[in-house]
Amino acid sequence: MKSYNKKMNNVKHINHRSLHINHAFFMDKAIAQATIAGKRGEVPVGAVLVDAEGNLLCRDYNRTILSCDPTAHAEINILRAAARKCKNYRLLSTTLYVTIEPCVMCMGAIVHARVKTVVFGASDPKWGAAKSLYQMGQDTRLNHQVEIIEGISADECRSVIQAFFRNRRKQKNAE
C-alpha cells in the first residue's frame, strides 16, 4: 500500500508541475494577443480559451475601439466565439487565460458561461472582479463558482499594459 501511495503522490506532483507549465504556455498565447491589440490602438488585453484536454479553442484581444462596442473585451470575444464553435452557450470544463484580471462585466459572463477556471496575469486594482475589488467567481450566492488562479506571467502582463499607457501619455504630451 505504501508503494501505491508513493506512486500516486508522484503522479499528482508531476501533473501539478506540467499544469503550471501549461499555464505559462497558454498565458504566452494571451500575451501575444494583447500585443496585437496594443499595436492596433486597443487597450492591450489578450485572452485564450482552452478545453479540458488542453486544446486551444479560441484566442482574441480587446476590440472595443475597432468594433465601436463597449462590450468587446477580450474575454467576451472569446466566450462568444467559443460558444459558436462549440454550439453551446455553456463552456463547461474550460480554462480562460487572460492577461489582466477580468472586470465585472467579463466575470458575470464567465459565470454565466460556466467556465471552470480563470487564469489571469496581472491584477487590476481599479476594475478587477476576480480578486481585487470583487470575488465574483467565488460568490456562493451565484449559481456557479469559478476557480481563480492569479499571477501567471504577471510581470510580463503588467509590462505590456504599462508600456502601452506610458507610450500613450508620451504621444499626448508631444501633441
Side-chain angles (χ1 to χ4, degrees):
M1 190 64 164
K2 284 184 181 180
S3 173
Y4 174 78
N5 287 339
K6 187 174 181 179
K7 283 182 185 177
M8 291 312 292
N9 286 338
N10 288 339
V11 168
K12 287 178 186 174
H13 179 68
I14 290 168
N15 286 340
H16 177 71
R17 274 197 339 217
S18 65
L19 184 62
H20 182 72
I21 291 167
N22 286 338
H23 286 331
F25 173 79
F26 288 116
M27 188 59 74
D28 284 347
K29 303 260 184 235
I31 291 167
Q33 292 297 301
T35 302
I36 294 168
K39 289 178 181 175
R40 294 188 174 172
E42 296 281 355
V43 174
V45 178
V48 299
L49 188 71
V50 177
D51 69 14
E53 288 77 41
N55 300 308
L56 189 123
L57 294 173
C58 300
R59 66 179 98 201
D60 211 338
Y61 51 87
N62 274 7
R63 295 174 184 268
T64 57
I65 297 165
L66 293 168
S67 300
C68 296
D69 180 355
T71 69
H73 290 196
E75 301 95 323
I76 300 296
N77 296 338
I78 289 292
L79 296 176
R80 288 176 177 153
R84 283 190 300 270
K85 184 175 185 175
C86 297
K87 295 180 176 33
N88 193 338
Y89 69 105
R90 299 285 190 233
L91 301 172
L92 305 172
S93 302
T94 57
T95 300
L96 179 85
Y97 292 86
V98 61
T99 55
I100 304 298
E101 180 180 3
C103 70
V104 171
M105 174 185 68
C106 293
M107 279 305 300
I110 288 163
V111 169
H112 279 291
R114 308 296 195 276
V115 170
K116 181 180 179 185
T117 306
V118 170
V119 179
F120 70 86
S123 59
D124 187 346
K126 292 183 180 179
W127 292 95
K131 287 276 186 163
S132 296
L133 291 178
Y134 305 102
Q135 297 78 42
M136 286 181 65
Q138 287 79 46
D139 192 330
T140 57
R141 295 171 296 181
L142 300 175
N143 62 345
H144 175 70
Q145 283 73 53
V146 181
E147 178 185 10
I148 304 294
I149 299 171
E150 63 183 305
I152 303 297
S153 305
D155 292 339
E156 191 173 356
C157 293
R158 190 177 305 105
S159 175
V160 169
I161 201 156
Q162 286 176 340
F164 174 81
F165 284 112
R166 188 172 34 256
N167 290 336
R168 187 175 263 186
R169 283 190 298 275
K170 283 181 187 177
Q171 287 174 348
K172 276 189 176 182
N173 291 338
E175 295 171 355

